[in-house]
Amino acid sequence: MPSLPEDPTARVLGVPSRRSLLKASAAGAAVTPVLAACGGDEETASSGDGEPQRGGHLRVGVAGGGASDTLDAHEPTDNVDIARNYALYASLMRYSNDGTLEPYLAESLESNDDGTEWTLVLKEGLTFHDESPVTADSVVFSLRRILDPDDPRRGAGDLEGVDYEALEVVDDRTVVIHCTEPMVTLPEALAEYYNCVVPEGYDPDEPVGCGPFRLTEFEVGQYSLMARHEGYHEEGLPYVDELEIIDFPEDDARVNALSSQNVDVISQVPHAQVAIIEGDPSLSIMESETGMWLPFTMRVDQAPFDDVRVRQAFRLIVDRQQMIDQALSGYGQIGNDMYARMDPSYPEDFEQRDQDLDEARRLLDEAGHGDGLEVELVTGDISAGVVAAAEVFKEQAAAAGVTVILRRVNPSDYWNPEEGFPYTFGQDFWSARNYITQTAQGSVVGAPYNETMWGEDEEWVELIDQARSTADVEERNEIIRQAQRIEYEEGGYIVWGFVNLIDAHTTRVHGLEPAVSGHPLGSYAFHQVWMDQ
Amino acid sequence: MTRLIVVRLLFGALTLWAVSLVVFAATQALPGDAAQLILGRDATPERLAVLREQLNLGEPVAVQYLHWLQGIAQGDLGTSFSNRQPVADYLAAPVRSSLTLMGLSALVATPIALAVGAFSALRRDRAFDHSSSMGTLIVASIPEFVVGILLILLLGPGGLDLFPSVYAREGGPDQWILPVLTLALAVAPPIVRMMRATMIEVLESEYVQQARLKGMSERLVLWRHAAPNAIGPVAQVVALQLAWLAGGVVAIEYLFNFPGVGKVLMDAIENRDVPLIQAVVLLIAGIYILVNLVADVIGLAANPKVRVANR
């Protein structure tokens, strides 16, 4: 009887790079805090060592925010909403910093053999901000609110197989979740921050959750103030008394706010500005390797990419290291045309694909493009580095006799069918998800963002279906790897790299640790942050 | 005079209506709709349908506009798409902040610019005059947000570290200095140049010559005879510049993360939040129209020929 999908190979991130993960925590240590404004003693120079101190008011500048700011637990959209979500609410499962699943509000989550029936038991003594207990009824209420057919929330897609009617309360702490189809991805879905638990009768205007902080003030488009939730279930956490999350839609303003110590922490430092912060002894950088990827997307159902040889050639055109150096200022990891890097099934053993222009030319020649090929690449400023990557690709492709014409689309219209999405040849950005969950989003027929129109491959579809109903983790990963092999050889994605995320904080701030989720600040882990008092 | 003001106000209202039509048409012409933009990458067909229903995006465009117009006629600015709050509530605080910023900038810029302009006229073709006209020419030719960035580099944390370059909720009064200075520098040059030109003209006029020949003190000549006659044309320019502030504030607020209407407008455009865009644009246009009207009235009041004529 498999319980929580344990990661059998609890992988530390592979591919050591010139910037190792350790750099993040060493950065602070390398800088003597002599000049630090609030000079703690030498032991507390880096983020994360020394004895945590309680108290203080933590001010965090987060990228984004505006009139659409919401406090609704199940409707967060932009970064500021997500940051608040992590602070106010808690989910049944969660991702640890290395991308493995662990129980959060749940004590256990067990499935039957084919993943159609899941038994969830809550931890004991959980309380909401209003001191009412977290019960099985709260869980059922939350799941129904997310799945509401008249107003489906953000997580409704992840929970599609859950039987809305048949959520069964066994006792105060136990819920049985019946599914209409095998749902081996349920633990992942329940680990998403936007599938969190709220009390019955939840009102987003007076939000109550059971996360580490409770709301005290909220000004749309500007800031939110929170105070420690004294009944938070993780012993001794959070350390700070108050948390303030401030909207910063503008990059420069956010960096300036940190430089002038108007805030203690900022998320998402633009790669070009890292040097400025590194040059300031009172500030530290935290770099996180993530599973976020910025693929090129080739539609396998449209010329010229309906010929598999053209797809293979395009994958051989890319000089991956050069693209990371130029598009991400070097802050990234080389990709191997395969996503879901944090999934335990990730095929580390597939041969690393490198630039091979002769082979690319040969394949293109075979496909009938011997005297040149012209393609339009649709790009847009949808995520940092995307447009730069397109420009780099254009240069690299020229060396293989391929002419690339760039068409820039406004980021807010990029996924708009009126602009032609999904494009014959385009780009995208995706955060870290596990393989099966990602395919449901972007690779199977009918997926909301099936931008490569992949998923017609019968053998692959069959493998995915089989994997989706295999509850045994080892067995499932074996099946997934066969599917990955097919996609690695013939798929429509060029996954050239994974993005490293850069956050920054003053040297007063400790306890932040890099996470692979792709969400900044170790998935906004404010409950672990402490400050020199 | 009264009749003139009433007619001008009517034209102003007509202008505002035309502006609202243009803004509405422009937002409709943009690809994508508010529902799609609010949901972003999470826009599943089901969720889109629900949100479009909530925002009445399914109605014909003309009907949507008429609904909005009906609301305006009753003093109701409608409900923001992305925020679901009444626009008037949402805008109250940003409008206050922006008006304060504009007011401070105007208070700093106008007297200094008038003084510099007048002094340049008195010192015509001397060092002060040359350097002030060179300075105003340079500042006038640089976009205001570049001026802002340069000021941040020079006086902000990266440079001399005199003033904060970002607006913070609990910040001290010194955080107003850079945004106000930026806006003041942006509006001052035309006022300086106009004041100088007008003063030169006035100082060469017959009545000033006459006053000097009578042996009046130079100070009396300046204040009694020259300045009042310079006010009319200069007031027009001052008003134009202050009206420009209403729009110029947009980019500057964004730069300093200042919580005013500029930041709201940027965000509203990004979200295709039609009611919010309309409200902010109408506000800016309204300020423009009013300030221009006031300028005309001052110009006329300073002109005795008009003042006494029966119009």
Side-chain angles (χ1 to χ4, degrees):
Chain A
M1 176 113 337
S3 60
L4 290 175
E6 295 256 330
D7 181 352
T9 54
R11 296 182 310 110
V12 180
L13 287 173
V15 216
S17 67
R18 56 198 180 77
R19 293 188 173 76
S20 75
L21 264 181
L22 292 172
K23 185 186 164 198
S25 46
V31 177
T32 45
V34 177
L35 298 172
C38 312
D41 55 21
E42 240 122 297
E43 269 76 73
T44 57
S46 81
S47 182
D49 50 10
E51 194 57 44
Q53 302 171 10
R54 284 174 79 80
H57 176 110
L58 179 71
R59 298 160 304 168
V60 184
V62 176
S68 54
D69 281 3
T70 176
L71 290 167
D72 192 313
H74 301 141
E75 293 278 19
T77 46
D78 90 348
N79 280 311
V80 187
D81 296 337
I82 296 169
R84 275 193 298 264
N85 227 73
Y86 274 106
L88 292 171
Y89 305 106
S91 47
L92 294 158
M93 304 287 295
R94 72 173 162 196
Y95 286 103
S96 64
N97 285 356
D98 66 359
T100 51
L101 281 165
E102 57 180 30
Y104 188 12
L105 295 177
E107 185 173 89
S108 67
L109 177 64
E110 299 190 345
S111 88
N112 61 353
D113 283 340
D114 62 356
T116 52
E117 188 179 293
W118 292 80
T119 306
L120 169 98
V121 180
L122 286 168
K123 283 183 176 139
E124 266 183 83
L126 300 170
T127 56
F128 286 113
H129 299 157
D130 60 1
E131 293 176 21
S132 64
V134 181
T135 64
D137 288 322
S138 332
V139 173
V140 170
F141 172 84
S142 304
L143 289 174
R144 288 214 169 125
R145 188 172 188 265
I146 295 164
L147 286 162
D148 185 351
D150 298 330
D151 190 2
R153 313 284 162 159
R154 209 182 138 178
D158 308 340
L159 297 166
E160 204 149 7
V162 170
D163 191 339
Y164 178 84
E165 301 296 336
L167 291 163
E168 185 189 335
V169 175
V170 177
D171 60 40
D172 264 359
R173 287 171 42 215
T174 314
V175 180
V176 176
I177 301 170
H178 297 274
C179 306
T180 52
E181 56 186 43
M183 267 204 74
V184 294
T185 56
L186 185 72
E188 284 172 39
L190 295 180
E192 288 292 356
Y193 57 92
Y194 49 78
N195 292 334
C196 46
V197 177
V198 295
E200 286 174 274
Y202 170 79
D203 173 12
D205 295 329
E206 297 286 332
V208 173
C210 54
F213 294 92
R214 60 183 170 80
L215 190 79
T216 53
E217 262 180 65
F218 176 53
E219 200 63 58
V220 170
Q222 294 185 41
Y223 72 96
S224 50
L225 262 180
M226 300 171 201
R228 179 193 294 126
H229 170 33
E230 298 297 346
Y232 183 62
H233 69 277
E234 291 189 280
E235 199 55 47
L237 300 179
Y239 296 116
V240 296
D241 296 337
E242 280 190 307
L243 168 67
E244 182 176 355
I245 295 175
I246 307 159
D247 293 13
F248 276 99
E250 223 276 316
D251 283 343
D252 295 334
R254 199 166 61 252
V255 174
N256 286 335
L258 182 72
S259 311
S260 54
Q261 311 256 340
N262 272 333
V263 294
D264 308 300
V265 180
I266 58 170
S267 73
Q268 290 165 281
V269 179
H271 289 151
Q273 304 212 23
V274 173
I276 297 171
I277 292 178
E278 279 182 332
D280 186 333
S282 64
L283 305 177
S284 302
I285 289 280
M286 178 172 88
E287 184 173 354
S288 318
E289 293 187 5
T290 75
M292 183 179 170
W293 45 300
L294 314 174
F296 291 98
T297 61
M298 305 178 282
R299 273 186 68 162
V300 303
D301 61 339
Q302 288 188 347
F305 301 110
D306 53 356
D307 186 327
V308 65
R309 288 169 299 196
V310 176
R311 303 201 292 273
Q312 288 164 340
F314 270 52
R315 286 167 154 188
L316 294 172
I317 282 172
V318 185
D319 177 342
R320 290 153 203 258
Q321 188 58 54
Q322 187 185 42
M323 199 165 273
I324 287 169
D325 289 344
Q326 298 198 6
L328 304 177
S329 313
Y331 296 101
Q333 310 297 312
I334 288 187
N336 197 19
D337 298 332
M338 185 46 58
Y339 45 87
R341 178 172 170 230
M342 306 310 165
D343 191 316
S345 68
Y346 185 79
E348 292 284 2
D349 56 337
F350 287 4
E351 189 193 347
Q352 175 60 52
R353 203 164 269 146
D354 293 318
Q355 186 180 46
D356 186 344
L357 292 176
D358 294 341
E359 180 65 7
R361 280 175 183 279
R362 195 188 64 74
L363 285 163
L364 287 170
D365 193 30
E366 249 181 58
H369 303 291
D371 42 12
L373 170 64
E374 188 175 284
V375 288
E376 179 189 71
L377 170 57
V378 185
T379 185
D381 206 357
I382 47 177
S383 186
V386 168
V387 175
E391 282 158 358
V392 173
F393 184 83
K394 179 182 174 157
E395 295 301 317
Q396 294 178 349
V402 175
T403 312
V404 176
I405 295 153
L406 296 181
R407 172 160 75 95
R408 258 183 102 144
V409 172
N410 199 340
S412 51
D413 303 319
Y414 195 82
W415 296 279
N416 192 341
E418 288 173 45
E419 284 287 352
F421 180 85
Y423 309 104
T424 306
F425 190 33
Q427 284 169 284
D428 205 346
F429 76 94
W430 289 96
S431 59
R433 285 186 179 80
N434 280 353
Y435 189 79
I436 300 261
T437 311
Q438 177 61 45
T439 58
Q441 287 284 326
S443 297
V444 300
V445 176
Y449 294 97
N450 190 349
E451 53 219 340
T452 61
M453 289 295 162
W454 179 251
E456 298 287 344
D457 186 295
E458 277 176 33
E459 192 188 347
W460 182 85
V461 172
E462 203 165 300
L463 286 166
I464 293 294
D465 283 344
Q466 206 182 328
R468 287 169 66 101
S469 57
T470 307
D472 183 89
V473 181
E474 303 258 351
E475 209 177 315
R476 179 166 76 237
N477 288 348
E478 215 31 64
I479 300 165
I480 290 177
R481 291 167 64 78
Q482 294 172 39
Q484 285 170 331
R485 169 61 70 178
I486 298 173
E487 213 177 350
Y488 171 77
E489 299 292 355
E490 299 175 11
Y493 280 125
I494 304 175
V495 185
W496 51 271
F498 296 95
V499 181
N500 289 8
L501 198 68
I502 315 281
D503 303 316
H505 54 85
T506 65
T507 46
R508 275 187 74 196
V509 173
H510 310 277
L512 281 169
E513 283 169 13
V516 298
S517 63
H519 290 299
L521 302 169
S523 294
Y524 300 109
F526 302 124
H527 56 296
Q528 294 171 349
V529 174
W530 58 277
M531 298 157 82
D532 292 332
Q533 294 306 312
Chain B
M1 191 78 173
T2 321
R3 203 176 120 218
L4 175 101
I5 294 176
V6 171
V7 169
R8 291 291 302 269
L9 280 173
L10 279 176
F11 270 111
L14 205 63
T15 313
L16 283 181
W17 174 71
V19 167
S20 83
L21 259 183
V22 170
V23 170
F24 199 83
T27 47
Q28 295 302 325
L30 293 167
D33 65 8
Q36 191 156 23
L37 289 155
I38 290 166
L39 294 176
R41 288 291 311 263
D42 304 303
T44 59
E46 298 79 20
R47 298 184 75 211
L48 275 174
V50 170
L51 190 55
R52 281 183 180 142
E53 181 75 27
Q54 286 171 348
L55 300 178
N56 301 325
L57 293 176
E59 294 176 340
V61 175
V63 174
Q64 285 184 46
Y65 179 73
L66 284 176
H67 273 276
W68 176 82
L69 204 59
Q70 259 174 344
I72 291 289
Q74 296 159 355
D76 173 14
L77 291 168
T79 306
S80 155
F81 283 172
S82 47
N83 178 341
R84 322 283 171 84
Q85 302 258 335
V87 168
D89 295 357
Y90 183 64
L91 277 178
V95 166
R96 262 202 310 277
S97 305
S98 286
L99 287 177
T100 312
L101 182 60
M102 285 163 56
L104 284 174
S105 308
L107 282 176
V108 170
T110 315
I112 295 178
L114 290 178
V116 170
F119 199 63
S120 294
L122 290 172
R123 298 284 162 134
R124 195 171 167 190
D125 290 331
R126 304 238 200 113
F128 180 86
D129 182 30
H130 284 310
S131 50
S132 88
S133 61
M134 187 54 118
T136 50
L137 196 64
I138 290 171
V139 175
S141 59
I142 304 177
E144 71 274 10
F145 63 89
V146 178
V147 172
I149 290 169
L150 290 173
L151 283 176
I152 290 177
L153 289 176
L154 196 67
L155 306 174
L160 300 173
D161 203 2
L162 299 176
F163 314 112
S165 61
V166 182
Y167 187 91
R169 195 170 55 87
E170 293 166 330
D174 60 347
Q175 64 185 357
W176 288 80
I177 290 174
L178 286 183
V180 166
L181 202 57
T182 307
L183 282 170
L185 280 174
V187 296
I191 302 177
V192 172
R193 300 179 81 81
M194 190 69 194
M195 186 68 187
R196 176 181 176 273
T198 317
M199 277 300 274
I200 285 172
E201 200 178 311
V202 170
L203 289 172
E204 287 174 349
S205 67
E206 287 171 10
Y207 49 88
V208 170
Q209 306 289 1
Q210 187 71 23
R212 281 182 177 154
L213 287 172
K214 281 181 177 170
M216 270 192 192
S217 76
E218 189 66 10
R219 175 179 302 193
L220 208 57
V221 170
L222 275 182
W223 286 111
R224 179 68 59 80
H225 296 279
N229 286 296
I231 278 190
V234 173
Q236 303 263 12
V237 174
V238 171
L240 271 178
Q241 289 307 101
L242 297 190
W244 174 89
L245 264 179
V249 86
V250 173
I252 296 304
E253 286 182 1
Y254 197 69
L255 184 67
F256 290 98
N257 206 44
F258 184 90
V261 286
K263 216 175 140 188
V264 171
L265 182 62
M266 292 266 190
D267 182 60
I269 290 172
E270 200 146 299
N271 283 323
R272 306 278 192 284
D273 193 335
V274 178
L276 203 50
I277 300 175
Q278 288 279 32
V280 175
V281 171
L282 289 185
L283 187 80
I284 292 173
I287 291 176
Y288 231 101
I289 289 165
L290 275 180
V291 171
N292 271 314
L293 179 61
V294 170
D296 285 351
V297 170
I298 292 175
L300 294 170
N303 184 340
K305 271 189 211 157
V306 179
R307 202 170 42 212
V308 295
N310 258 333
R311 297 187 57 182

